[in-house]
Amino acid sequence: MARIWRFGANVNTDQIVPGRYAPYMLKSEDELRNYPFIEARPEFATTVRPGDLIVAGPNFGCGSSREYAPLALKMVGIGAIIAPLFARIFYRNALNLGIPLFEADLTGELADGQEVDFDVTTGTLATQNRAIQLPPPPSWVREVWAEGGIVPYYRKYRRFPGAGVETHG
Amino acid sequence: MGQTLAEQILSHAAGRSVRAGETIVAAVDLAMMHDSISPGIIKILHHELGADRVWDPERVAVVVDHVAPAATIQNAEHQLALRRWVRTRQITHFFDVGRGISHPVLVEEGLARPGMLIIGSDSHSTAYGAVGAFGTGMGSTDMALALATGQTWLRVPETVRVQARGRLRSGVGAKDLGLRVARLIGADGATYQSVEWHGVDELTIAARMTLATLSIEIGGKAGIVPPTGAGWDAHAEQRGITAPAWLRVEEDAHYSRTIEVDLDSLEPQISVPHYVDNVQDLSNLGRIAVDVVYIGTCTNGHYGDMAAAARILKGRTVARGVRLLIVPASSEALRQATDDGTLATLLAAGAAIGTPGCGACIGRHMGVLAPGEICLFTGNRNFRGRMGSPDAQIYLGSPEVAAATAVLGYIAHPAEVVSEG
């Protein structure tokens, strides 16, 4: 089971990891796993479990280009982030790190703390009462996920993803 | 059909004619990285991508600006490692502590030029649109890939056209125009899109940078001002640079939407905690007492911003109980302010001056805020916790409003301090 962590609109990267908790300010990058949402939701980092889902409103990840914001979420094993719109730098950073993003607005349908079954490969999310099919990401996005991020993807294919097709980025 | 400025620049970078919606692999003209993110970029470049060197050491600029000078031993160690890396990789353009914020520095140095594709490890890399470049911010992994290959992948963005009409009134500036647009279209109003700023030919390059940096606060991938008008001419002439002939506004280009702003009736705008697009007319704000007035950043820490503040502060002093902190955007801004007496005026009024750089904009040093403190800030973000305590409150406004606020101790219209005209 995956727990739903629900957030509102315009969650910025300062909320995800404040600048004072950047790896640049820490003794080691590993410490970063203690700090996602350290001020916005202090219980998040201590109770989040691998595979949990973030369900948020539009413009998730706006603001700074800090890749350590999605990196901190990856370190705690976030299963996917579901929001109707992602800020573009965050979208790229998350894709590059291999974090699954789905574009859908489920803030009105799922409660914070709710437990669901989630299958990232099919993009299906099941509550006690119903199943929700998330819109599938483009195939080239899945190719990047399959390799675990853009670095292994680039090392394998020696090219950039998605060239010549419709994308965000 | 004509092309937007973003389409023209990305066509040039892709080596073929491209349109909004296409994804391209583009040649990077200039890659900027700063101290704060450099350890991650260097690790990915060498250890994960296995590259020994950057693709072209003359097309990489490294700037120490985010925590400059170092605040902790960790910062100092990272900066030491960065200096060593710059030396061993023979990076041509290195700007150490005190030279200033990456964006104004690369513009002042003439490294950022019209028609270039510039990527930077900082989200405010949209700043390079001030000189007609396509500047965009990226994370560590994208930066490392670009440093290794000289390329990046991009979706060619649609463009939002901002059309300003009329003339800014006294005490009203580029910041008010930028915040007005944020108020009109919201923090995600230009996500995945470029923003073109029209009707601002009279603005200096620094004032154009105010607009270009605020473009990311409405989600913009780039924020481009056409390289025309007196402000551009002065900049270009001083540095002996010209805009490429292929870069020019085509009136039949397709814009996803056009936002009209009437400058004649524009009044000072204030962004209220804790979102940049939470903007009100200053006249509707009520009386808000402040603890700190902070003038700085790539948005409004330029020479012209300090001079505008000095005109209001001349012969006056900062209100009792208020701190006025000024962190110039660059050493060049500080030099100009020193040469013409602006700095002396600011000091006489009671300002404290910091080392040119990002200052407390990222909440790490040089004047972070305590719980409960209220700050009037000329920067670009008022997110909760941005400048220090999450229990502080940040209001964004222009340098003119900042100066008036410093004198009166509450957020004030410049006309409350100096008579107009």
Side-chain angles (χ1 to χ4, degrees), chain A residues 49-68:
Chain A
R49 300 163 314 193
D52 279 0
L53 304 175
I54 290 173
V55 169
N59 206 25
F60 188 88
C62 62
S64 155
S65 60
R66 59 190 66 167
E67 193 167 298
Y68 55 83

Side-chain angles (χ1 to χ4, degrees), chain A residues 40-94:
Chain A
R41 291 193 73 169
E43 78 283 12
F44 180 88
T46 52
T47 53
V48 67
R49 300 163 314 193
D52 279 0
L53 304 175
I54 290 173
V55 169
N59 206 25
F60 188 88
C62 62
S64 155
S65 60
R66 59 190 66 167
E67 193 167 298
Y68 55 83
L71 180 60
L73 297 175
K74 182 177 176 171
M75 283 173 139
V76 297
I78 204 76
I81 308 171
I82 304 164
L85 177 75
F86 291 92
R88 68 161 274 280
I89 303 177
F90 185 90
Y91 180 93
R92 287 183 76 111
N93 286 345

Side-chain angles (χ1 to χ4, degrees), chain B residues 255-269:
Chain B
Y255 297 97
S256 61
R257 68 192 285 200
T258 296
I259 309 292
E260 307 254 352
V261 182
D262 176 30
L263 300 182
D264 294 316
S265 63
L266 186 65
E267 58 173 293
Q269 304 288 296

Side-chain angles (χ1 to χ4, degrees), chain B residues 110-127:
Chain B
L111 292 170
R113 295 190 297 275
M116 291 174 90
L117 169 60
I118 304 175
I119 64 167
S121 61
D122 181 88
S123 61
H124 290 107
S125 300
T126 51

Side-chain angles (χ1 to χ4, degrees), chain B residues 23-365:
Chain B
T23 303
I24 60 167
V25 175
V28 172
D29 293 305
L30 185 64
M32 182 286 292
M33 60 189 263
H34 59 75
D35 56 316
S36 168
I37 299 294
S38 59
I41 296 174
I42 291 169
K43 185 182 88 173
I44 299 166
L45 176 68
H46 298 311
H47 301 297
E48 296 182 24
L49 287 167
D52 288 336
R53 52 177 68 89
V54 303
W55 100 100
D56 184 348
E58 292 186 6
R59 290 182 180 274
V60 177
V62 178
V63 189
V64 181
D65 60 2
H66 271 55
V67 187
T72 66
I73 294 169
Q74 270 100 28
N75 302 151
E77 283 183 341
H78 285 308
Q79 293 179 12
L80 188 65
L82 180 60
R83 289 184 192 102
R84 197 175 299 132
W85 183 82
V86 162
R87 241 187 347 264
T88 57
R89 266 63 189 187
Q90 298 175 308
I91 304 297
T92 316
H93 308 294
F94 177 57
F95 304 99
D96 211 330
V97 171
R99 178 63 184 87
I101 308 170
S102 51
H103 314 311
V105 169
L106 299 199
V107 167
E108 288 165 2
E109 296 281 338
L111 292 170
R113 295 190 297 275
M116 291 174 90
L117 169 60
I118 304 175
I119 64 167
S121 61
D122 181 88
S123 61
H124 290 107
S125 300
T126 51
Y128 307 116
V131 289
F134 187 101
T136 196
M138 290 188 176
S140 316
T141 303
D142 273 325
M143 289 303 301
L145 273 166
L147 291 181
T149 65
Q151 293 182 316
T152 193
W153 66 276
L154 287 165
R155 177 183 175 282
V156 182
E158 288 82 16
T159 294
V160 175
R161 179 178 176 127
V162 176
Q163 184 65 57
R165 297 192 194 282
R167 292 186 71 129
L168 290 162
R169 292 185 297 179
S170 171
V172 183
K175 182 60 155 293
D176 303 301
L177 169 58
L179 292 182
R180 179 77 193 174
V181 171
R183 177 179 179 173
L184 289 169
I185 73 171
D188 58 359
T191 298
Y192 303 123
Q193 302 192 54
S194 174
V195 183
E196 263 182 42
W197 297 87
H198 291 267
V200 293
D201 261 5
E202 289 186 19
L203 295 183
T204 63
I205 292 299
R208 296 175 191 207
M209 196 176 294
T210 306
L211 300 175
T213 52
L214 285 170
S215 299
I216 178 67
E217 307 308 336
I218 50 175
K221 180 178 213 155
I224 308 175
V225 184
T228 51
W232 164 252
D233 291 343
H235 176 85
E237 197 172 313
Q238 233 172 19
R239 288 162 186 79
I241 54 180
T242 51
W246 51 263
L247 184 69
R248 54 186 214 222
V249 174
E250 296 180 348
E251 289 302 331
D252 59 343
H254 175 74
Y255 297 97
S256 61
R257 68 192 285 200
T258 296
I259 309 292
E260 307 254 352
V261 182
D262 176 30
L263 300 182
D264 294 316
S265 63
L266 186 65
E267 58 173 293
Q269 304 288 296
I270 300 292
S271 173
V272 174
H274 297 281
Y275 296 97
V276 181
D277 59 346
N278 192 12
V279 176
Q280 295 181 18
D281 290 341
L282 187 152
S283 56
N284 287 338
L285 199 59
R287 182 169 289 214
I288 293 173
V290 304
D291 302 288
V292 181
V293 173
Y294 207 112
I295 297 177
T297 80
C298 53
T299 296
N300 275 120
H302 307 290
Y303 161 74
D305 300 324
M306 289 191 282
R311 281 193 289 276
I312 292 163
L313 286 161
K314 193 171 182 62
R316 300 183 172 87
T317 53
V318 174
R320 184 179 287 271
V322 174
R323 314 191 291 284
L324 172 59
L325 307 180
I326 300 178
V327 178
S330 72
S331 59
E332 175 60 19
L334 181 56
R335 185 196 61 75
Q336 283 186 56
T338 307
D339 285 355
D340 74 355
T342 291
L343 185 65
T345 301
L346 297 172
L347 287 170
I353 310 293
T355 306
C358 300
C361 183
I362 328 105
R364 292 172 179 168
H365 74 331

Side-chain angles (χ1 to χ4, degrees), chain A residues 13-155:
Chain A
T13 52
D14 278 80
Q15 286 170 283
I16 302 173
V17 180
R20 294 182 302 293
Y21 297 91
Y24 192 52
M25 310 301 284
L26 307 175
K27 287 199 166 56
S28 83
E29 192 175 271
D30 288 342
E31 278 182 63
L32 182 61
R33 69 177 64 250
N34 302 318
Y35 302 124
F37 296 112
I38 181 70
E39 287 165 357
R41 291 193 73 169
E43 78 283 12
F44 180 88
T46 52
T47 53
V48 67
R49 300 163 314 193
D52 279 0
L53 304 175
I54 290 173
V55 169
N59 206 25
F60 188 88
C62 62
S64 155
S65 60
R66 59 190 66 167
E67 193 167 298
Y68 55 83
L71 180 60
L73 297 175
K74 182 177 176 171
M75 283 173 139
V76 297
I78 204 76
I81 308 171
I82 304 164
L85 177 75
F86 291 92
R88 68 161 274 280
I89 303 177
F90 185 90
Y91 180 93
R92 287 183 76 111
N93 286 345
L95 175 72
N96 287 347
L97 293 172
I99 301 171
L101 305 184
F102 289 90
E103 290 183 314
D105 189 355
L106 299 185
T107 51
E109 306 185 41
L110 297 171
D112 189 65
Q114 192 172 348
E115 298 281 338
V116 300
D117 280 315
F118 181 65
D119 184 338
V120 70
T121 54
T122 58
T124 50
L125 186 152
T127 68
Q128 278 188 325
N129 310 319
R130 58 182 289 223
I132 298 169
Q133 177 64 54
L134 297 171
S139 59
W140 61 271
V141 168
R142 288 195 171 279
E143 288 167 23
V144 176
W145 292 356
E147 299 305 324
I150 197 86
V151 168
Y153 177 97
Y154 187 83
R155 288 180 67 119

